[in-house]
């Protein structure tokens, strides 16, 4: 996934963290999605809930795109030519469809529903993502994880993992990163993370034990879910600050509802995020942009086919935007 937002806002994501469990206010912040085109002639649109002005990070999760169900006949499906990443990992998780992934590590993978594909673009990587000809509907999420400073120049990497379906009373859970409901992903991450798909049965109240040191985000794919005291509508991301050791979700409807639960300890570093790059300063971003535009081998050997050019840097120095305190 490539970030095509024209303003390409620089985000400096801070670590202001306070526990406040006694205000009596709702413990859930609702982050609404904005629609963003992915680019291309019949641009598929995605619903982006991270980053946004209200919140830039949940743990190390720094980007959340939710797409579909898109009928490929109408939208052209996903067709993102090769583009670079630095300082982050990409997590592709599909609900339906199939995407062909190629990257400059040499990976050629078919991304399928229920399968984690985690690409590390520390110092630099490039990849392309195209829905396959047999795909009629694309539906899923793409998420980015910020790398902590000591690993932000990590080597290129690609990990694939197919979690088992964990059945608990009233829900089916696939844990692709971290641990939940007795299931643990073996996939290595650079900070503690939780990432899981949870499908909640109709007329079900689900309570899951979670790590109280984590902040959490629950993204609702379809239907309505009540998270703690707050109803989340489709495509909304409900944020819960750290301090919760259980999360209760209610599906009061007649149909199963799919959600994605994200979590991690608050990311204790400030980062600058611009286009498809994460750095620590304006200079980091400008250098990554310059290297990409010069076809530097920093990003590996170019793939056949087209490439996305970086947008122009803003005239001003990329100025940080701080993550708000957790109340
Ligand atoms: Mn990408």
């Amino acid at each position: 996934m490539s970030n095509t937002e024209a303003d390409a806002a620089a985000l400096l994501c801070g670590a202001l963290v306070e526990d406040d469990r006694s205000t009596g206010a709702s413990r859930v912040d609702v982050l609404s999605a904005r629609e963003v085109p992915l680019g291309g002639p019949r641009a598929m649109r995605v619903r982006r809930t991270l980053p946004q002005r209200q919140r830039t990070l949940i743990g190390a999760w720094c980007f959340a795109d939710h797409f579909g169900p898109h009928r490929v006949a109408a939208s052209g499906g996903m067709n993102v030519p090769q583009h670079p990443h630095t300082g982050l990992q990409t997590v592709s998780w599909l609900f339906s469809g199939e995407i062909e992934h190629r990257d400059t590590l040499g990976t050629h993978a078919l991304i399928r529903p229920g399968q984690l594909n985690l690409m590390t673009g520390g110092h630099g990587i490039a990849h392309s993502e195209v829905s396959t000809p047999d795909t009629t509907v694309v539906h899923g999420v793409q998420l980015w994880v910020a790398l902590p400073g000591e690993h932000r120049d990590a080597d290129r990497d690609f990990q694939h993992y197919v979690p088992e379906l964990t059945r608990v009373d009233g829900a089916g859970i696939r844990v692709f990163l971290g641990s939940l409901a007795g299931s643990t992903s073996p996939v290595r991450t650079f900070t503690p993370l939780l990432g899981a798909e949870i499908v909640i049965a109709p007329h079900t109240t689900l309570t899951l034990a979670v790590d109280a040191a984590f902040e959490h985000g629950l993204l609702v794919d379809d239907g309505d879910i009540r998270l703690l005291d707050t109803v989340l509508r489709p495509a909304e991301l409900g944020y819960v600050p750290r301090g919760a050791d259980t999360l209760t979700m209610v599906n009061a409807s007649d149909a199963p509802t799919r959600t994605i639960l994200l979590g991690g300890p608050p990311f204790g570093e400030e980062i600058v995020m611009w286009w498809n790059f994460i750095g620590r300063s304006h200079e980091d971003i400008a250098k990554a942009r310059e290297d990409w535009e010069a076809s530097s081998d920093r990003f590996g050997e170019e793939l056949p086919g087209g490439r996305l050019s970086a947008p122009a840097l803003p005239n001003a120095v990329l100025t940080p935007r701080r993550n708000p305190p957790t109340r």
Side-chain angles (χ1 to χ4, degrees):
M1 200 73 78
S2 174
N3 178 7
T4 56
E5 287 188 275
D7 69 347
L11 299 168
L12 186 136
C13 307
L16 303 172
V17 177
E18 292 166 14
D19 272 347
D20 186 349
R21 279 164 255 181
S22 58
T23 61
S26 170
R27 297 182 61 204
V28 181
D29 287 342
V30 179
L31 305 177
S32 297
R34 63 189 186 285
E35 287 223 344
V36 178
L38 271 190
R42 290 182 292 168
M44 188 176 110
R45 296 178 77 82
V46 301
R47 296 175 291 273
R48 187 162 297 161
T49 42
L50 283 180
Q52 59 176 277
R53 193 158 289 281
Q54 194 179 345
R55 175 153 300 283
T56 51
L57 286 156
I58 297 177
W61 296 103
C62 60
F63 185 94
D65 271 359
H66 174 215
F67 49 88
H70 284 288
R71 285 188 314 108
V72 170
S75 71
M78 185 176 292
N79 186 3
V80 185
Q82 71 183 307
H83 59 278
H85 289 292
T86 63
L88 60 86
Q89 295 176 300
T90 63
V91 171
S92 302
W93 183 263
L94 291 180
F95 307 140
S96 54
E98 184 180 63
I99 291 169
E100 187 172 14
H101 163 103
R102 291 177 192 270
D103 66 39
T104 54
L105 180 68
T107 310
H108 179 203
L110 291 172
I111 295 176
R112 295 181 167 130
Q115 305 186 352
L116 172 72
N117 290 276
L118 176 72
M119 184 184 78
T120 302
H123 185 61
I125 197 168
H127 70 148
S128 63
E129 299 155 289
V130 180
S131 43
T132 59
D134 291 342
T135 295
T136 55
V137 172
V138 284
H139 188 190
V141 292
Q142 190 174 103
L143 312 161
W144 295 356
V145 175
L147 296 178
E150 64 176 315
H151 295 295
R152 69 191 179 99
D153 286 318
D155 291 341
R156 295 175 202 123
D157 191 29
F158 188 88
Q159 297 181 72
H160 174 84
Y161 170 60
V162 183
E164 302 251 320
L165 176 64
T166 301
R167 291 184 189 281
V168 300
D169 202 16
I173 302 176
R174 288 184 167 87
V175 181
F176 47 86
L177 290 173
S179 293
L180 187 70
S183 174
T184 296
S185 167
V187 175
R188 188 173 72 99
T189 58
F190 293 95
T191 55
L193 287 175
L194 172 62
E197 177 185 304
I198 306 173
V199 178
I200 306 171
H203 306 289
T204 293
T205 297
L206 175 67
T207 297
L208 294 172
V210 293
D211 189 331
F214 283 20
E215 49 188 3
H216 291 91
L218 186 72
L219 177 67
V220 179
D221 177 48
D222 52 3
D224 292 347
I225 289 291
R226 185 159 61 79
L227 173 63
L228 305 177
D229 59 355
T230 300
V231 174
L232 301 172
R233 314 250 175 239
E236 289 181 341
L237 177 63
Y239 169 78
V240 181
R242 65 181 179 171
D245 56 12
T246 60
L247 293 176
T248 296
M249 307 158 208
V250 180
N251 177 8
S253 78
D254 295 330
T257 293
R258 182 192 280 117
T259 66
I260 295 285
L261 180 62
L262 305 176
F267 193 74
E269 296 180 43
E270 297 185 333
I271 60 176
V272 179
M273 184 169 166
W274 180 84
W275 195 45
N276 295 312
F277 303 131
I278 291 179
R280 294 300 184 275
S281 66
H282 178 96
E283 289 69 31
D284 288 347
I285 299 294
K287 181 71 169 78
R289 183 190 180 282
E290 179 189 317
D291 289 346
W292 175 247
E293 292 304 295
S295 297
S296 159
D297 61 7
R298 169 178 183 167
F299 299 100
E301 190 171 339
E302 290 219 357
L303 305 168
R307 76 199 301 277
L308 294 180
S309 286
L313 279 171
N315 288 325
V317 171
L318 293 171
T319 49
R321 192 191 295 172
R322 285 178 186 277
N323 213 27
T326 59
R327 285 195 300 264

